[in-house]
Amino acid sequence: MRDILSVLQQVEPELSKSERILAALLRNDADFMVNAGITDVAKRAGVSPPTVTRFCRRLGCESYTAFKMQVAQVTFGGTRYLTANASSADPDDVADSLLAQLQAAAVKTREALDMKAVVGAAETIAGSNLLAAFGSGGTSSMISDEVQNRFFRLGLRTVSITDHAMQLMQAATLKPGDVVLALSVSGRNLQMANALEAARSYGATVIALTRPGRPISELADITIGLDLPEGDNILRPSTSRYAFLFVTDLLATLVAMHLGDGARENLRRVKYQLSNARDPDDKEALGD
């Protein structure tokens, strides 16, 4: 489903002064825009009706009626998501604002995904001898560890490396059939790029989750492009984390489906051992 607020976020830097007034009205009183006619909206915003029409077309709507229908879809989920103030100290406002940010990031990531690249990456990982996740930095290091957490359970030999020197050393041990999953928000991590060059020279396949057209992407055999605006509020977590987690979960699910019974058996074993593990301090369970 098309999210008109995500579209607004993308085009907002290009809006005129009058269109920015309409954007503020959309965020602050979406219910009014859904129920009012184009003349009433123009009057309240202090602009002309043709300006309202141009604003609607900026957001990809052919008419004001089509615009109102899309705004109605947004408000159906709750107007708090439109009015929550990111700078508000109210815990409910903060929670709703973060939830809206997460949802918008997930929708935009899904809309922009190159599914051919995703499927190719999943098939390559499923057939790998070793999966080495490389990440260096806040988001990429966290996702690198999550990759290890998700894929070893499926029966794949998986390592997570977040140190540049260790990445280079690991790259030197790789061979054909091994895969490097390179994670970089900026795509400009030149030290990681050195390790990727080494990995490729020894025959490993490189898959990158990063911004297209950057050094990391250019070194990859398969690139899954992720490019989200970070926003201006430095107190909020990076939106990139949601995008990377979404794609990691997608890849893990597709790989698990590709592996079939083998993945299910490994997951069963993990669950069995965790469910039946004994507490070493429980003397009764140990028979002491």
Side-chain angles (χ1 to χ4, degrees), residues 143-239:
I143 300 299
S144 180
D145 290 340
E146 181 63 13
V147 167
Q148 182 181 35
N149 179 54
R150 292 301 307 275
F151 286 90
F152 89 86
R153 299 165 185 261
L154 304 179
L156 296 177
R157 293 176 57 218
T158 311
V159 295
S160 168
I161 305 173
T162 58
D163 175 81
H164 285 128
M166 288 297 296
Q167 289 172 358
L168 191 58
M169 288 189 283
Q170 179 71 64
T173 70
L174 299 178
K175 58 183 74 68
D178 296 335
V179 173
V180 175
L181 184 58
L183 309 159
S184 176
V185 175
S186 71
R188 292 193 174 111
N189 191 323
L190 298 183
Q191 289 177 292
M192 182 188 292
N194 291 335
L196 299 183
E197 285 183 325
R200 292 192 66 183
S201 73
Y202 293 112
T205 301
V206 174
I207 299 170
L209 272 60
T210 191
R211 292 187 181 184
R214 300 287 176 84
I216 298 299
S217 173
E218 291 171 355
L219 286 166
D221 298 289
I222 301 173
T223 294
I224 300 174
L226 297 176
D227 188 0
L228 291 179
E230 291 303 320
D232 299 324
N233 191 332
I234 62 173
L235 299 181
R236 286 189 179 193
S238 165
T239 56

Side-chain angles (χ1 to χ4, degrees), residues 9 41 46-47 55 62 69 90 94 113 119 155 163 166 172 193 198 234 250 269 283:
Q9 185 180 25
V41 170
V47 301
F55 176 71
E62 295 181 357
M69 291 180 61
D90 184 279
V94 173
L113 271 183
V119 171
D163 175 81
M166 288 297 296
I234 62 173
L250 176 58
R269 292 182 185 184
K283 294 183 179 181

Side-chain angles (χ1 to χ4, degrees), residues 14-28:
E14 305 169 4
L15 297 181
S16 66
K17 183 177 179 180
S18 296
E19 289 170 337
R20 288 177 184 272
I21 295 174
L22 290 166
L25 181 58
L26 170 57
R27 288 199 173 95
N28 295 327

